């Protein structure tokens, strides 16, 4: 009997100074969908009260803390320690990818360097994270989408949770990606559209707009037609024609 293929081995490096402990459960649930969190390291000054909530979660998620005392105000020793460890882990050749958890643009070059080596980088940070870091990652997940009550893939969000963006804000992104694809009479496979979205827009996530599934988001915008051909499991989508185009066809 052939052994099942092993999940990608991932090194998870967390910048505690720039990450809320409230995302811990959602973070590791999300990482489990990507691969195996073989290394779980978290960096910060745990000697003070500010990072105590993270310290209380260490054993729960098997995180290894790396203490970095703030000897000099304004100097972030945690960032330097994280980068040094990342390069050591990279050159060990034991990993398939990295999860960099921070909203700090200082990690942009690190993400680019890891990807130059042929490994995947998954970034996790707040919506305010600079675009440079988001674009340097294969995928970037907003940590606001990992908070308790946020929409999970395949599920509706909690009514009490307000989406980061309205569904209409996704329309220009979807149209731009679909314009780069070819389909019969404009129809495109929704699954393929989703794959292209992740490739071209690393931080695209249906949960940002309040939906666990791309199909629900596309339907809610009202800007697209959705169809499920008979005998086909997948759904297809196309941009709704403008009113002027409809009039021309009727004439």
């Amino acid at each position: 009997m052939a052994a099942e293929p092993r999940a990608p081995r991932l090194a998870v490096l967390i910048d505690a100074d720039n990450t809320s402990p409230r995302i811990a459960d959602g973070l590791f649930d999300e990482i489990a969908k990507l691969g195996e969190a073989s290394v779980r390291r978290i960096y910060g000054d745990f000697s003070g009260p500010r990072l105590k909530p993270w310290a209380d979660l260490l054993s729960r998620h098997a995180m290894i803390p790396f203490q970095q005392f703030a000897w000099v105000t304004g100097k972030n020793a945690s960032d330097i320690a994280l980068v040094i460890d990342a390069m050591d882990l990279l050159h060990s050749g034991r990993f398939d990818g990295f999860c960099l958890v921070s909203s700090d643009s200082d990690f942009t070059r690190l993400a680019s360097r890891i990807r130059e080596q042929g490994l995947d980088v998954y970034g996790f940070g707040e919506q305010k994270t600079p675009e440079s870091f988001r674009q340097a990652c294969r995928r970037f997940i907003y940590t606001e989408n990992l908070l308790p009550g946020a929409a999970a893939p395949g599920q509706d969000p909690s009514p009490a949770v307000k989406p980061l963006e309205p569904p209409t804000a996704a329309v220009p992104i979807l149209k731009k990606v679909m314009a780069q694809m070819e389909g019969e009479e404009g129809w495109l496979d929704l699954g393929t559209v989703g794959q292209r979205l992740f490739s071209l827009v690393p931080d695209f996530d249906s949960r940002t707009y309040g939906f666990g599934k791309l199909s629900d988001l596309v339907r809610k915008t009202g800007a697209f037609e959705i169809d499920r051909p008979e005998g086909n499991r997948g759904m297809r989508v196309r941009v709704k024609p403008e009113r002027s185009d409809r009039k021309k066809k009727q004439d």
Side-chain angles (χ1 to χ4, degrees):
M1 181 177 178
E4 293 185 5
R6 181 167 182 168
R9 294 170 60 95
L10 302 174
V12 181
L13 308 178
I14 304 171
D15 175 14
D17 293 325
N18 286 290
T19 306
S20 168
R22 295 178 59 210
I23 71 159
D25 291 342
L27 172 67
F28 285 102
D29 286 345
E30 191 77 13
I31 291 173
K33 302 169 191 173
L34 303 172
E36 176 188 346
S38 301
V39 165
R40 306 179 182 203
R41 299 182 182 180
I42 184 167
Y43 303 78
D45 185 359
F46 300 97
S47 63
R50 193 172 73 85
L51 295 186
K52 187 179 184 303
W54 269 119
D56 294 339
L57 293 168
L58 296 178
S59 60
R60 180 173 177 175
H61 293 290
M63 293 181 287
I64 305 299
F66 283 73
Q67 170 66 31
Q68 301 297 322
F69 291 101
W71 300 115
V72 181
T73 303
K75 300 294 184 181
N76 197 339
S78 298
D79 289 3
I80 298 174
L82 190 155
V83 171
I84 291 173
D85 282 2
M87 297 309 294
D88 286 343
L89 294 170
L90 172 64
H91 291 298
S92 73
R94 295 184 289 117
F95 300 94
D96 303 299
F98 283 72
C99 296
L100 303 180
V101 187
S102 178
S103 302
D104 195 336
S105 63
D106 289 347
F107 295 111
T108 300
R109 185 66 187 98
L110 174 61
S112 299
R113 179 64 184 84
I114 293 172
R115 294 196 71 186
E116 287 173 1
Q117 202 69 22
L119 277 65
D120 291 328
V121 176
Y122 302 97
F124 296 81
E126 296 179 0
Q127 195 178 16
K128 67 179 182 181
T129 304
E131 185 178 11
S132 58
F133 182 29
R134 289 185 275 128
Q135 292 297 323
C137 300
R138 178 185 175 186
R139 280 198 63 194
F140 192 90
I141 295 97
Y142 292 142
T143 51
E144 290 92 340
N145 290 326
L146 306 179
L147 292 169
Q155 298 180 354
D156 292 330
S158 167
V161 178
K162 184 179 179 180
L164 301 179
E165 298 283 352
T168 53
V171 173
I173 302 173
L174 291 164
K175 285 185 175 181
K176 180 178 179 180
V177 170
M178 292 172 66
Q180 300 177 22
M181 305 171 66
E182 295 184 1
E184 185 177 352
E185 296 184 354
W187 287 107
L188 298 165
D189 177 71
L190 186 59
T192 305
V193 172
Q195 293 175 4
R196 184 66 67 89
L197 272 169
F198 289 138
S199 176
L200 298 179
V201 190
D203 59 351
F204 184 89
D205 192 329
S206 298
R207 293 172 293 184
T208 300
Y209 308 94
F211 295 90
K213 294 192 295 185
L214 178 61
S215 58
D216 291 339
L217 168 60
V218 170
R219 187 179 287 109
K220 181 63 176 180
T221 64
F224 306 92
E225 296 178 346
I226 295 182
D227 180 42
R228 187 188 295 273
E230 186 175 349
N232 192 333
R233 290 185 178 182
M235 301 177 68
R236 61 180 188 170
V237 61
R238 71 176 177 183
V239 179
K240 279 186 178 179
E242 300 291 338
R243 289 185 178 180
S244 58
D245 294 338
R246 291 178 183 175
K247 289 182 179 181
K248 288 180 181 179
K249 290 182 179 180
Q250 291 176 356
D251 294 341

